[in-house]
Amino acid sequence: MRTATRRLKHWGWGYEDQQPPRDQVEGIAKAVTDRLGFEVDEIEEPVPLDAVDLPEPRLKPPSELAGMFSAELYDRAAHSLGKAYRDVVRGFRGEFPNPPDLVAYPESPEDVDAVLNWCADEGAAAIPYGGGTSVVGGVEPRMRDDYPAVVTIDLKRMDRVLEVDPVSKAARIQAGATGPGLEEQLREHGLTLRHFPQSFEYSTLGGWIATRAGGHFATLETHIDDLVESARAVTLNGEWESRRLPGSGAGPSPDRMLIGSEGILGVIVDAWVRVRERPTEKVSCGVAYDDFAAGTEAVREISQSGLYPSNCRLLDAMESDTTSAGPPGKALLVLGFESAHHAVEEPMSLAQDICRSHGGDLGDVRRSAAQTPGDDPVNAWRSAFLQAPYLRDSLVACGVLSDTFETAITWDRFPDFHAEVMETAKRAVAEASGAAAEGRGSPRISCRFTHIYPDGPAPYYAVLAPARRGDEVSQWDEIKAAVSETVVDAGGTITHHHAVGRDHRPWYDRQRPDPFADALRAAKRELDPKSVLNPGVLIDP
Amino acid sequence: MRTATRRLKHWGWGYEDQQPPRDQVEGIAKAVTDRLGFEVDEIEEPVPLDAVDLPEPRLKPPSELAGMFSAELYDRAAHSLGKAYRDVVRGFRGEFPNPPDLVAYPESPEDVDAVLNWCADEGAAAIPYGGGTSVVGGVEPRMRDDYPAVVTIDLKRMDRVLEVDPVSKAARIQAGATGPGLEEQLREHGLTLRHFPQSFEYSTLGGWIATRAGGHFATLETHIDDLVESARAVTLNGEWESRRLPGSGAGPSPDRMLIGSEGILGVIVDAWVRVRERPTEKVSCGVAYDDFAAGTEAVREISQSGLYPSNCRLLDAMESDTTSAGPPGKALLVLGFESAHHAVEEPMSLAQDICRSHGGDLGDVRRSAAQTPGDDPVNAWRSAFLQAPYLRDSLVACGVLSDTFETAITWDRFPDFHAEVMETAKRAVAEASGAAAEGRGSPRISCRFTHIYPDGPAPYYAVLAPARRGDEVSQWDEIKAAVSETVVDAGGTITHHHAVGRDHRPWYDRQRPDPFADALRAAKRELDPKSVLNPGVLIDP
């Protein structure tokens, strides 16, 4: 397999061989100036791995398990950070303040059990790790100084589709399988999970479940939660395995307690997930609106119509412009229906009627996805979506701040909420960037809906601004704190699908019901009395 | 209000004035013999309330809260049992072995808090109570002898729709609102919850949430879980209130821990639920199949098609015959689509194509629901569905055993599972009833699907058999134990929507993951250290 010889970058997005050469980054720098109006005074080079210096590992693996551990510089550096902007910046500069002492690569649930129990015996923190694409500090060993050692447990060697049930349309898949890895194995059976988060290429099923990842579908199965039929985790109290059931009413759902637990209760090792036949019918359409508010009303009506589009992503004019998706100055709704069973022209036509009644300017309906980008707004946007994390690495080199935040809110509160969030974001970004809020070269703050529900949207905000070179982390942290305050004060959730991790803790702590936090802490103490499992995520032990 | 002067029967289904007179029960006895072939040797009369003798209450309410308590015979008797067959039989015979000492009727969350804290101070068990329609021993004070007193907390006075959000289509409703009560209040706004369990007339929103009740929709929002936007409970650690959010990914869902908690963590006082406009488009159709297996394949294909019928209930020939729903000797699929937004002829037509391809014999498609039963199989079945619990009271008088059990299982395992369950049920019912398994007057065991999922159905089994007069409880318990063993051994869930309560404990304990039970027990100890909240349900304290 080709990928066996490829290594992921130790600091940014993708494989080492995907790092763009200097002349490509220069092209990006030119586009940054031409399109965004940001001056690029210098293109920095990332600090190479051999210039990185890490403290010595504080713990040696036991001889009987030694084969599954690594204490190599590459492994430790590559597992030191997630993939938030603040992580990429630090990795780019060669800053790895909290490296794990060891990285374990178990190959079976028994291996996981052995590593975990050894960690507990040693009092070492144990961080379950999938693709490492956390954007909320979920895998960074920030507790390093409070523990005698930190061991990151990387599930990448547990990447197989173990069983396929073509009758019930379900598959048992190991936690370490990446998006492309599991889709490739499912394709042999004519099946697909169709869970495509932006991190799809590198993130894993176990990571999706641990963090309640959001996927491809704009309606119905928005989160991985909805696709989990049963899950299995290794805990320090033994195996947590739920039954394969299409539905149940037997007490609080065990799966729903594991889903979103971010590694604090155990290590997810595999899960039965609901898969489906690959869609044969696909239609998509772009709809332009003069303003975001009109598009919002159309989307609200669609969300309450029972039509369930697979794609229903509303981009504001700024987002549409940044990604060259739609006509200038217009909000763009990217609407799509798909089915493996029947034609979807009728629901598309009904949805278009709704779009039209709210003043939408309808583009052509395209059957299936066109194979090339170009002038198709739907494809243009999808391509930009998947390329964004790669591009971000070059933006860091060019001194451009690029990050996002996301939430969900009910429709009745959305207009005021959105206005408040945008106002806060504009002010905070201007203050933190020293750039004028308006005019050429001003920061770009845009919004889109990633998922919609009958009772409200999940708005996703993206920020592009001139970076304070060398001080990017503080710059973003200032912005992030300001917008998080507003999001939570105005009734939103601190995260719709990015998880809580360590970065969202102050606001999560205000959001969740106190007795629920009491219950979760008690559950944690019961299953992990020494508090070795991913300490500091979600709750304080 | 008319209902203010009506009182629910202290032992069976419905209001006191709905107890059928002697001549009507005689008519039922005749039908039992004519239609089922069971001999009715005697029609028993229920023991009247004034012949019921209960032990004296062991505790007096505190004077400052006295106004919300009752120690009356009626209140205590009526809160002594749920509404399972074993409960109705005992109530009918005047047997109330485990009465609460007091019944509290709080009128506000503050009242609930006061009662609950007083119970904790006294060490008295506190049983949250909605409509009392539990069929799993969920509200019966069986822990009576282990506690100095038992207080049942009946939420009936908290029955208001508090807020309506017509934009997000959501409403905040108090936990004690019954199905008709909340629907009547929502109707003023043109909205409906459309959660119609069989107990709809008497059960409450709080009860539905506490027990993960199953409702009207055969697909998508099958359980109340899916309709809860946020929930509020009074716990001994303070208020547990989640945020109103259309979706979230912030840690394990607090709502999903409360939903199904059956009163062991706190008392649910109100919830924001997702409502919708009343459907204006409805089509329904009966489809006959020569055998249940062919119908099953049709339903499986529908469940995986993405068509999402609102109704998709497959009755086996016995069930269809018992309820006079379809043509003799045939399995019947009751199929329906509804929408408040658009015509539903196309999805019905696509579903019918599936039905036909599996050998189904299609009846006429009816637009909307006909107003009278008669020859419409869909209406005939619905009417029988709602009348069943009333009829059961008379069946008890006639010496007919009548109860049900239900589960869920994936499609791949369903055929063998169903064969095993039917075999066990037939053997156990024959043994426990002393009746021949075949021929006139033999027990009737039937199956229908109440809900369907892409990965499997929720089969619901009904049993009608000659009762062992005076020994009905043991008779049913023998049957129930036998079928529960098979259901759980063969991979099913002990309950899809009847909850765990006390009756399902032995099998639930084998079904749930052990570390999850550890976590739940720890959470319970944290929130209720004296273990006063509904002890014995779900877990041992």
Side-chain angles (χ1 to χ4, degrees):
Chain A
M1 248 166 74
R2 193 172 66 106
T3 52
T5 60
R6 296 176 88 188
R7 224 165 57 164
L8 289 168
K9 287 162 73 170
H10 68 278
W11 65 273
W13 201 252
Y15 290 99
E16 289 175 331
D17 58 45
Q18 291 174 307
Q19 174 62 13
R22 178 86 189 180
D23 63 336
Q24 242 180 63
V25 183
E26 282 168 2
I28 290 167
K30 185 168 182 318
V32 162
T33 304
D34 293 350
R35 298 225 19 228
L36 306 181
F38 303 163
E39 297 306 323
V40 178
D41 49 4
E42 182 199 349
I43 295 174
E44 288 183 75
E45 292 288 339
V47 172
L49 182 61
D50 55 21
V52 169
D53 195 28
L54 298 184
E56 285 301 302
R58 297 169 295 174
L59 190 65
K60 274 194 174 12
S63 54
E64 68 275 20
L65 304 177
M68 71 175 88
F69 283 88
S70 168
E72 296 292 319
L73 173 66
Y74 168 78
D75 292 295
R76 293 177 64 212
H79 290 81
S80 291
L81 298 167
K83 292 289 181 284
Y85 172 71
R86 65 199 309 289
D87 299 327
V88 175
V89 166
R90 289 183 293 164
F92 182 90
R93 296 254 159 75
E95 294 165 16
F96 300 89
N98 302 304
D101 295 283
L102 297 169
V103 180
Y105 297 99
E107 298 186 2
S108 67
E110 293 71 29
D111 284 355
V112 173
D113 188 61
V115 171
L116 197 54
N117 276 288
W118 176 69
C119 288
D121 291 345
E122 298 288 335
I127 304 182
Y129 188 101
T133 58
S134 171
V135 292
V136 293
V139 295
E140 181 177 347
R142 285 188 214 158
M143 79 303 291
R144 186 179 155 82
D145 293 342
D146 301 327
Y147 286 77
V150 178
V151 177
T152 294
I153 305 176
D154 184 325
L155 281 286
K156 70 188 288 184
R157 293 186 186 164
M158 295 171 62
D159 65 350
R160 308 315 299 164
V161 172
L162 299 173
E163 291 178 73
V164 171
D165 169 2
V167 178
S168 313
K169 305 274 187 282
R172 185 157 77 95
I173 304 179
Q174 288 188 300
T178 62
L182 65 86
E183 286 293 343
E184 188 181 321
Q185 295 173 74
L186 290 172
R187 189 177 290 119
E188 299 164 24
H189 304 272
L191 297 170
T192 171
L193 179 62
R194 290 191 93 54
H195 181 78
F196 304 139
Q198 194 166 23
S199 60
F200 169 77
E201 290 173 86
Y202 306 104
S203 55
T204 62
L205 177 62
W208 300 338
I209 295 173
T211 61
R212 301 181 70 185
H216 164 75
F217 293 109
T219 65
L220 298 179
E221 301 95 342
T222 56
H223 287 89
I224 193 71
D225 313 28
D226 306 305
L227 299 172
V228 173
E229 191 182 67
S230 74
R232 186 156 70 121
V234 169
T235 80
L236 287 163
N237 273 22
E239 205 166 83
W240 173 317
E241 182 172 19
S242 62
R243 292 196 162 206
R244 276 192 72 194
L245 294 170
S248 184
S253 164
D255 292 337
R256 296 283 185 164
M257 192 164 177
L258 202 55
I259 295 169
S261 61
E262 303 194 14
I264 69 166
L265 302 178
V267 182
I268 296 163
V269 290
D270 57 55
W272 276 96
V273 289
R274 299 181 178 109
V275 294
R276 61 186 73 208
E277 291 175 29
R278 306 180 70 75
T280 48
E281 303 284 335
K282 283 193 202 173
V283 295
S284 60
C285 170
V287 187
Y289 286 92
D290 284 344
D291 62 51
F292 193 55
T296 295
E297 279 303 292
V299 169
R300 178 169 77 90
E301 190 175 333
I302 291 171
S303 77
Q304 296 172 347
S305 68
L307 289 170
Y308 308 123
S310 51
N311 202 350
C312 189
R313 288 168 169 86
L314 181 67
L315 323 184
D316 69 7
M318 181 71 86
E319 176 85 16
S320 174
D321 180 61
T322 302
T323 55
S324 305
K330 304 271 188 177
L332 179 75
L333 174 61
V334 179
L335 187 64
F337 288 84
E338 63 175 47
S339 171
H341 180 264
H342 48 263
V344 284
E345 271 77 6
E346 175 167 293
M348 174 56 96
S349 163
L350 290 163
Q352 286 184 313
D353 290 345
I354 296 173
C355 292
R356 211 176 279 114
S357 75
H358 292 276
D361 183 12
L362 276 63
D364 293 338
V365 172
R366 296 179 182 248
R367 289 190 54 83
S368 186
Q371 290 310 300
T372 50
D375 61 351
D376 174 0
V378 178
N379 253 332
W381 182 80
R382 184 188 300 120
S383 172
F385 175 70
L386 286 174
Q387 286 305 310
Y390 292 100
L391 180 62
R392 193 182 45 175
D393 287 1
S394 299
L395 293 179
V396 168
C398 297
V400 176
L401 179 150
S402 165
D403 210 337
T404 63
F405 59 96
E406 40 86 61
T407 183
I409 188 81
T410 51
W411 290 116
D412 60 316
R413 292 175 292 173
F414 174 72
D416 289 347
F417 175 90
H418 179 58
E420 271 187 74
V421 170
M422 286 299 275
E423 192 190 317
T424 299
K426 281 179 184 167
R427 191 183 58 239
V429 173
E431 280 174 17
S433 309
E438 305 286 336
R440 183 172 161 78
S442 62
R444 297 171 80 96
I445 300 159
S446 60
C447 179
R448 64 176 187 263
F449 294 163
T450 56
H451 304 82
I452 56 162
Y453 301 88
D455 47 343
Y460 193 100
Y461 297 88
V463 177
L464 285 170
R468 295 197 316 238
R469 293 269 192 169
D471 192 30
E472 291 95 338
V473 172
S474 302
Q475 183 186 11
W476 174 248
D477 287 352
E478 288 162 25
I479 296 167
K480 175 73 178 175
V483 295
S484 296
E485 285 295 307
T486 299
V487 160
V488 169
D489 284 351
T493 173
I494 191 60
T495 178
H496 173 266
H497 62 266
H498 279 175
V500 175
R502 296 176 173 83
D503 294 349
H504 281 153
R505 277 294 306 285
W507 302 282
Y508 172 69
D509 287 6
R510 283 164 50 193
Q511 171 178 337
R512 83 284 179 280
D514 286 336
F516 170 74
D518 295 340
L520 188 61
R521 265 190 296 264
K524 162 81 171 170
R525 276 195 304 268
E526 175 70 23
L527 297 187
D528 178 19
K530 292 182 178 173
S531 199
V532 299
L533 272 158
N534 213 7
V537 156
L538 282 180
I539 48 168
D540 292 320
Chain B
M1 247 167 73
R2 192 172 68 105
T3 52
T5 61
R6 296 175 87 188
R7 224 166 56 166
L8 289 167
K9 288 162 72 170
H10 68 278
W11 65 273
W13 200 252
Y15 290 99
E16 289 174 331
D17 58 46
Q18 290 174 308
Q19 173 62 14
R22 178 85 190 181
D23 63 336
Q24 242 180 61
V25 182
E26 282 167 2
I28 290 167
K30 186 168 180 315
V32 162
T33 304
D34 292 351
R35 299 228 15 230
L36 306 181
F38 303 164
E39 296 307 324
V40 179
D41 49 5
E42 182 199 349
I43 295 175
E44 286 184 75
E45 292 287 341
V47 172
L49 182 63
D50 56 21
V52 170
D53 196 27
L54 298 185
E56 285 300 304
R58 296 170 296 175
L59 190 65
K60 274 194 177 9
S63 53
E64 68 276 18
L65 305 177
M68 71 175 89
F69 283 88
S70 168
E72 295 293 318
L73 174 65
Y74 167 79
D75 292 295
R76 293 178 63 212
H79 291 81
S80 291
L81 298 166
K83 292 288 182 284
Y85 173 71
R86 64 200 309 290
D87 300 326
V88 175
V89 167
R90 289 183 294 165
F92 182 89
R93 296 254 158 73
E95 295 165 15
F96 299 90
N98 302 304
D101 295 283
L102 297 169
V103 180
Y105 297 100
E107 298 186 4
S108 67
E110 294 71 28
D111 284 355
V112 172
D113 188 61
V115 171
L116 197 55
N117 276 289
W118 176 70
C119 289
D121 290 345
E122 298 287 335
I127 304 182
Y129 188 101
T133 58
S134 170
V135 292
V136 292
V139 295
E140 181 176 346
R142 285 188 214 156
M143 78 303 289
R144 185 180 156 81
D145 294 342
D146 301 327
Y147 286 76
V150 178
V151 177
T152 294
I153 305 175
D154 184 326
L155 280 286
K156 69 188 289 182
R157 293 186 187 163
M158 295 170 64
D159 65 350
R160 309 314 299 164
V161 172
L162 298 173
E163 291 179 72
V164 171
D165 170 1
V167 178
S168 313
K169 305 273 187 281
R172 186 159 74 98
I173 304 178
Q174 288 188 300
T178 63
L182 66 85
E183 286 292 343
E184 190 182 319
Q185 294 173 76
L186 290 172
R187 188 176 292 117
E188 298 165 25
H189 304 272
L191 297 170
T192 171
L193 180 60
R194 290 193 92 54
H195 181 77
F196 304 139
Q198 193 165 26
S199 60
F200 169 77
E201 290 174 88
Y202 307 104
S203 55
T204 62
L205 177 63
W208 301 339
I209 296 173
T211 62
R212 301 180 71 185
H216 165 74
F217 293 109
T219 65
L220 297 180
E221 301 95 343
T222 57
H223 287 88
I224 193 72
D225 313 28
D226 307 305
L227 300 171
V228 173
E229 190 183 67
S230 73
R232 186 157 71 122
V234 168
T235 80
L236 287 163
N237 273 23
E239 205 167 83
W240 173 315
E241 182 172 18
S242 62
R243 294 196 161 206
R244 277 192 72 194
L245 294 169
S248 185
S253 164
D255 292 337
R256 296 284 184 161
M257 192 162 178
L258 202 56
I259 295 170
S261 62
E262 302 194 15
I264 69 166
L265 302 178
V267 182
I268 296 162
V269 291
D270 57 54
W272 277 96
V273 289
R274 299 182 178 109
V275 296
R276 59 187 73 207
E277 290 175 31
R278 307 181 67 76
T280 48
E281 303 284 336
K282 282 192 202 175
V283 295
S284 60
C285 169
V287 187
Y289 285 92
D290 284 344
D291 61 50
F292 193 55
T296 295
E297 279 302 292
V299 169
R300 176 168 78 90
E301 190 175 334
I302 291 171
S303 76
Q304 296 172 347
S305 69
L307 288 170
Y308 307 123
S310 52
N311 202 349
C312 189
R313 288 167 170 87
L314 180 67
L315 323 183
D316 71 6
M318 181 70 87
E319 176 85 16
S320 174
D321 181 62
T322 302
T323 54
S324 304
K330 304 269 189 179
L332 180 75
L333 173 60
V334 180
L335 187 63
F337 288 84
E338 63 176 46
S339 171
H341 179 264
H342 49 263
V344 284
E345 271 76 8
E346 175 169 293
M348 174 57 97
S349 163
L350 289 164
Q352 286 186 312
D353 290 345
I354 296 173
C355 292
R356 211 176 279 115
S357 74
H358 292 277
D361 184 13
L362 275 64
D364 294 338
V365 172
R366 294 178 184 250
R367 288 190 53 83
S368 187
Q371 289 310 301
T372 51
D375 60 352
D376 174 1
V378 178
N379 253 331
W381 183 80
R382 183 188 299 120
S383 171
F385 175 70
L386 286 175
Q387 286 304 310
Y390 292 101
L391 180 62
R392 193 181 46 174
D393 287 2
S394 297
L395 293 178
V396 168
C398 295
V400 177
L401 179 151
S402 165
D403 210 338
T404 64
F405 59 95
E406 40 87 60
T407 184
I409 187 83
T410 51
W411 290 116
D412 60 316
R413 291 175 293 173
F414 174 72
D416 290 347
F417 176 90
H418 179 58
E420 269 188 75
V421 170
M422 286 299 275
E423 193 190 315
T424 299
K426 281 179 183 167
R427 192 182 60 239
V429 173
E431 280 174 17
S433 309
E438 303 287 335
R440 185 174 158 76
S442 61
R444 297 171 80 95
I445 301 159
S446 60
C447 180
R448 65 176 187 265
F449 294 162
T450 56
H451 303 83
I452 57 162
Y453 301 88
D455 48 342
Y460 193 102
Y461 297 88
V463 177
L464 284 170
R468 296 195 317 236
R469 293 271 193 167
D471 192 30
E472 290 94 339
V473 172
S474 302
Q475 183 186 10
W476 174 249
D477 286 352
E478 289 162 26
I479 297 167
K480 176 72 179 175
V483 296
S484 296
E485 284 295 308
T486 299
V487 160
V488 169
D489 284 349
T493 173
I494 191 60
T495 178
H496 173 266
H497 61 267
H498 280 175
V500 175
R502 295 175 174 84
D503 295 350
H504 281 154
R505 277 295 306 284
W507 302 283
Y508 172 69
D509 287 5
R510 283 164 48 195
Q511 172 179 337
R512 83 284 178 281
D514 286 336
F516 170 73
D518 295 340
L520 188 61
R521 265 191 298 266
K524 162 81 170 171
R525 275 195 305 270
E526 176 70 22
L527 296 187
D528 178 18
K530 292 183 177 172
S531 198
V532 299
L533 271 158
N534 213 8
V537 155
L538 282 180
I539 49 168
D540 292 320

